[in-house]
Amino acid sequence: MNKFILLTLLCLSSYALFSQKSSDYVITGKVVDKAAGVPLEYATITVKDKNSTQDVEGGITDMDGNFRVEVPAGDYSLKIEYISFQPLTLNRSINSDLNLGTIQLEFAASDLEEVTVVAETTTVDVRLDKKIYNIGKDLTTAGGTVSDALNNVPSVSVDVEGGISLRGNENVRILINGKPSALAGFGSTDVLGQLPADAIERVEVITSPSARYDAEGTAGILNIILRKEKTLGFNGSFQLSAGHPDNASVSSNLNYRTNKFNIFNTLGYRYRESPGNAFFDTRYFEARQDAFLDNVPYDRNIEDRQYDRLDRGFNGNLGLEYYLNDQSSITGSVFYRKGNDDDLTTNRNDYILGDDPRIGTTRRELENEDDQSYQFALNYINRFNDEGHQLTADVQYDVDEEDQRTFINEPVRYNNSSVNDITLPREETNTTEKQKEYLFQADYVLPLGEDSQFEAGYRGNLENEVTDYELRQEDGNGNLVINENQTNIFDYTQNVHALYTQYGTKFFDMLNVLVGLRMENTTIKGNITSLLTEQELQEEFSFPIDTDFNNNYLGLFPTVNLILEFGEEENLSFGYNRRINRPNGWFVNPFPSRDSRNNVFQGNPNLEPAFSNAFDVGYLKRWGKKLTFTSSVYYQHETDAFQRVQEDVTITGPGGNPTQVIRSIPINLATNDRFGAEAGLLYNPAKWLRLNGSVNFFQFNLDGDFNGEDYSQKNTSWFGRFSSKVTLPGAIDWQTNMFYRGASQEIQGRQDGILSIDLALSKELFDGSTTISANVSDLLNSRKRQSFTTTEFFEQDSEFQWRQRQINVSLIYRFNQQREERKRPREGQYGDDDGEFEG
């Protein structure tokens, strides 16, 4: 620590001396990515005297891309450089202060004469602590959602239920514009399936987060940046989409900007039907009896489910950025989302003993859900000078409310047992859930000399979630009465306070270093209100339960990120970070949720947080404009890792009778070692053809036991992507995306591989202001999860398809948008095909 303080004082002293030296004139400007308009932080500015071979001055850009260099009068050559971008050289005679304005750098692999060619998906930008994928017009996600777009981002995969994973790890933190948000469902992924893909400007894949980011998420962070136009005047776009199964959406992005303020607005409405299906064949090693079936014995249960889901919703965002002066601004925004869903699940059950079908039922579950979210956000930024010295402050308030009503009826189709008049009781559930979150954040940035920067900040997240669950079941007289064993109120609070500091510098004009330390204090509180006593709860759930718990823990999270540049087309990166996985309210709520009478999910209030140490090494190499290779290897050691296990347990059924069910429960499973490697190739043999391929291989080594059973296991799997784009005659673009996830061994069985193919065609009209496209998602209707599970009590084959093949047609109209701001560099940046660009 003493060495760091001394280094800081020396840097401040040298900075002060530098500021006081004799200089006649000041050169200022701003460096941005030409394709995306995104500021380029840490871009290098070198100033040479044209009459000498010596460098006169130099500097780097701050977080907003701004730079400032002082030089005496003379003739100079200015060179602006940034990794993976084409350097730009300017010749100027300096005899007064000079403002170069906005300097646009192009991606190094772009084809200058083809800047007007529309790219279909993403470009990649490598930073010290993240990779930025600037989302273009991905043809295969036109009319789709944010979840669809994320599935085409390298290193990211979205499973059949919409669950998002990063490098095969589902514990990924989702941020919106750098913050937890109601737009992302407070970190869950459900809401992302309701927001239009067109709302995204870029996605930051942060596999080795620096100290400025939350320590939550052992896999890393996905930061989704929403669009906000930078063009002066009134501009925007409209999008209409329709498809089969029946779906339709309309959305708009509007922006009005002057030199004093910027008003931005996004509106959208959706209507979507999403049919799906599932099949479960469970074979028990010993015959069992069920109170619901008047204790008729059976040793096999076959469930055939059909899902008919109807999703309707509206979302809107309105914001105003006001420029107080040249150095500071304040931005306020409000977001609102309202949804209404009607889901009908039809579950045909057959209960079999030996080869004899005993009882057949048809369970119909109608679920009505109304939910709404709103968010208020305020941001202030003050730039003390043009050299990157600045302070930002944020305040945000989020609310998410959900009311879910479920009606369950299960008539008997046939009865071959000796019991007459078996009638399964009707059920009704009502779940009311309300989440609130307060966010307070402040960040301070101080440049130290020409090549170094110090940062510090604070973030406070205060979250509360109250779940009120009521289960009513039919009694022998046909009346619906409360099931006291299941009805409850669960009040969950999680507060996280964090302080961080980090220091970045550059050595020998080729080594960029960013080191930091984050300290987080977490308080987790839970209170269970139930008609049962604490002793009855423990007997019901078969493990100790504290109905009023309060956990508090402090953690330190160091980070180190390095990039070694061997030239403009080659670099090597290294990252280390320590992360945490905190149990959310769903994982600690001990009251079961019921997918069926025979399968339940139950939270575990005894879950402890999991901690991980992760290492990442990446390499990027380009050969001219046609071939790019990217690769990385990574390792993570996680302690107290979360895993779900299935058990055969007894719960209380109607009339207080015991009934056996299969319970899925999360546990802390000792340790989890993850190894992985990823590589990508990008090849552009001709102007009309672009090819991309990538592969990600990973292995999990689990070590632990639960309730006397050993769950240690090695799980090896992989996923690969291939994408091609062909320009057909008539300037019609044809895009193909293929994704395959390999088979894997799970802790209690295995999961088969999954193949998915998407196709799309697109045509631009009216000089590029209008685009019409058609796409088919899951062409072969093969996006299904097939798995086999075995325990000491049963074995089960299952198949699950969340959403069937989808066909969409989309029309986009843009007005008053600068053409180059809508385009992306042509060379190799499209599709989920950037490969696993981890250079």
Side-chain angles (χ1 to χ4, degrees), residues 288-523:
R288 55 199 282 124
Q289 295 179 338
D290 193 327
F292 288 105
L293 301 174
D294 285 347
N295 294 317
V296 172
Y298 64 93
D299 58 14
R300 185 179 182 185
N301 173 227
I302 297 177
E303 298 183 51
D304 190 353
R305 299 183 194 173
Q306 295 294 324
Y307 301 99
D308 295 294
R309 294 184 296 268
L310 175 59
D311 172 28
R312 293 156 294 194
F314 166 83
N315 65 85
N317 184 41
L318 177 64
L320 171 65
E321 182 177 9
Y322 182 75
Y323 308 106
L324 300 173
N325 50 52
D326 291 340
Q327 305 287 25
S328 62
S329 67
I330 188 169
T331 302
S333 65
V334 58
F335 168 81
Y336 178 75
R337 178 183 60 84
K338 183 172 180 60
N340 175 248
D341 300 342
D342 291 319
D343 300 341
L344 174 63
T345 302
T346 304
N347 188 359
R348 291 172 59 91
N349 280 278
D350 290 282
Y351 299 90
I352 303 168
L353 182 63
D355 295 326
D356 181 19
R358 308 294 289 169
I359 296 176
T361 68
T362 300
R363 174 186 170 94
R364 294 184 178 90
E365 179 177 327
L366 176 62
E367 180 181 292
N368 306 125
E369 181 178 313
D370 295 311
D371 64 274
Q372 61 178 352
S373 302
Y374 49 92
Q375 171 184 293
F376 302 94
L378 194 65
N379 166 266
Y380 170 76
I381 181 169
N382 183 27
R383 302 174 180 86
F384 298 102
N385 54 38
D386 295 329
E387 299 165 2
H389 186 195
Q390 67 179 35
L391 172 69
T392 60
D394 293 270
V395 178
Q396 185 172 292
Y397 174 63
D398 299 74
V399 175
D400 184 62
E401 299 175 341
E402 181 179 298
D403 188 14
Q404 183 183 96
R405 300 164 302 280
T406 304
F407 308 92
I408 302 171
N409 187 30
E410 191 169 356
V412 176
R413 300 194 332 268
Y414 65 85
N415 180 5
N416 297 328
S417 71
S418 59
V419 179
N420 296 322
D421 301 326
I422 292 179
T423 302
L424 278 73
R426 292 181 294 123
E427 293 184 3
E428 290 186 8
T429 68
N430 187 64
T431 306
T432 302
E433 190 171 88
K434 187 169 185 177
Q435 301 181 37
K436 294 182 180 180
E437 179 173 12
Y438 299 88
L439 171 72
F440 306 95
Q441 180 173 332
D443 299 279
Y444 177 72
V445 181
L446 175 67
L448 302 173
E450 299 176 11
D451 297 326
S452 302
Q453 184 168 283
F454 170 78
E455 298 180 47
Y458 161 80
R459 173 179 285 184
N461 277 89
L462 313 178
E463 304 176 41
N464 177 256
E465 175 184 347
V466 178
T467 304
D468 189 343
Y469 176 80
E470 181 183 79
L471 170 63
R472 292 179 178 268
Q473 293 175 310
E474 186 178 15
D475 63 10
N477 298 319
N479 301 315
L480 289 172
V481 297
I482 292 179
N483 183 325
E484 297 182 354
N485 299 78
Q486 305 297 322
T487 298
N488 67 94
I489 299 175
F490 183 60
D491 191 333
Y492 177 79
T493 297
Q494 177 178 283
N495 296 332
V496 181
H497 296 277
L499 293 170
Y500 81 89
T501 181
Q502 65 182 21
Y503 175 74
T505 189
K506 188 171 186 177
F507 297 100
F508 314 115
D509 292 327
M510 62 182 301
L511 178 62
N512 295 279
V513 180
L514 183 63
V515 296
L517 180 65
R518 188 177 185 91
M519 180 177 67
E520 292 190 349
N521 178 254
T522 303
T523 301

Side-chain angles (χ1 to χ4, degrees), residues 48 125 137 326 329 415 444 501 535 558 567 607 647 720 740 770:
K48 290 186 177 182
D125 183 8
K137 299 186 304 173
D326 291 340
S329 67
N415 180 5
Y444 177 72
T501 181
Q535 179 63 34
L607 270 184
E647 296 182 301
Y740 181 78
T770 304

Side-chain angles (χ1 to χ4, degrees), residues 603-811:
N604 180 1
N606 302 315
L607 270 184
E608 296 290 335
F611 293 89
S612 71
N613 289 279
F615 301 85
D616 185 293
V617 178
Y619 175 72
L620 180 146
K621 174 66 176 176
R622 305 183 191 276
W623 290 270
K625 300 178 181 179
K626 288 191 174 183
L627 184 63
T628 301
F629 172 74
T630 59
S631 64
S632 67
V633 293
Y634 50 90
Y635 167 72
Q636 180 186 85
H637 177 73
E638 185 176 6
T639 57
D640 290 326
F642 299 169
Q643 288 292 323
R644 294 190 190 187
V645 298
Q646 289 185 307
E647 296 182 301
D648 196 21
V649 299
T650 300
I651 65 173
T652 303
N657 296 317
T659 184
Q660 289 178 288
V661 299
I662 297 174
R663 175 179 69 183
S664 176
I665 184 172
I667 63 171
N668 290 110
L669 189 68
T671 62
N672 187 358
D673 289 298
R674 303 171 185 265
F675 307 84
E678 51 190 357
L681 275 177
L682 167 64
Y683 182 49
N684 297 295
K687 293 181 180 180
W688 56 270
L689 177 63
R690 303 161 180 80
L691 303 173
N692 271 273
S694 64
V695 63
N696 191 312
F697 171 87
F698 50 90
Q699 181 181 94
F700 302 165
N701 290 333
L702 304 177
D703 182 16
D705 60 80
F706 178 68
N707 283 348
E709 184 173 350
D710 186 8
Y711 288 99
S712 299
Q713 172 219 6
K714 179 180 294 185
N715 177 10
T716 301
S717 188
W718 64 280
F719 63 84
R721 285 185 170 93
F722 172 78
S723 181
S724 67
K725 186 265 180 181
V726 179
T727 301
L728 303 173
I732 297 175
D733 293 327
W734 173 19
Q735 184 177 327
T736 304
N737 288 350
M738 300 177 63
F739 176 85
Y740 181 78
R741 183 185 179 100
S744 63
Q745 293 295 319
E746 308 297 327
I747 62 173
Q748 291 178 298
R750 67 175 185 272
Q751 183 171 305
D752 295 341
I754 300 176
L755 171 67
S756 180
I757 300 176
D758 302 333
L759 296 179
L761 294 170
S762 175
K763 170 70 175 175
E764 289 216 346
L765 305 171
F766 310 117
D767 195 29
S769 65
T770 304
T771 302
I772 184 170
S773 62
N775 63 62
V776 54
S777 175
D778 194 9
L779 176 69
L780 303 179
N781 203 35
S782 57
R783 194 171 170 80
K784 303 176 182 180
R785 183 182 64 209
Q786 296 175 317
S787 59
F788 172 76
T789 302
T790 181
T791 73
E792 62 177 315
F793 303 105
F794 66 88
E795 62 180 18
Q796 181 185 80
D797 289 295
S798 65
E799 178 179 285
F800 183 81
Q801 183 179 27
W802 178 252
R803 189 175 70 183
Q804 298 175 7
R805 177 174 46 228
Q806 188 95 29
I807 301 174
N808 284 322
V809 177
S810 180
L811 178 70

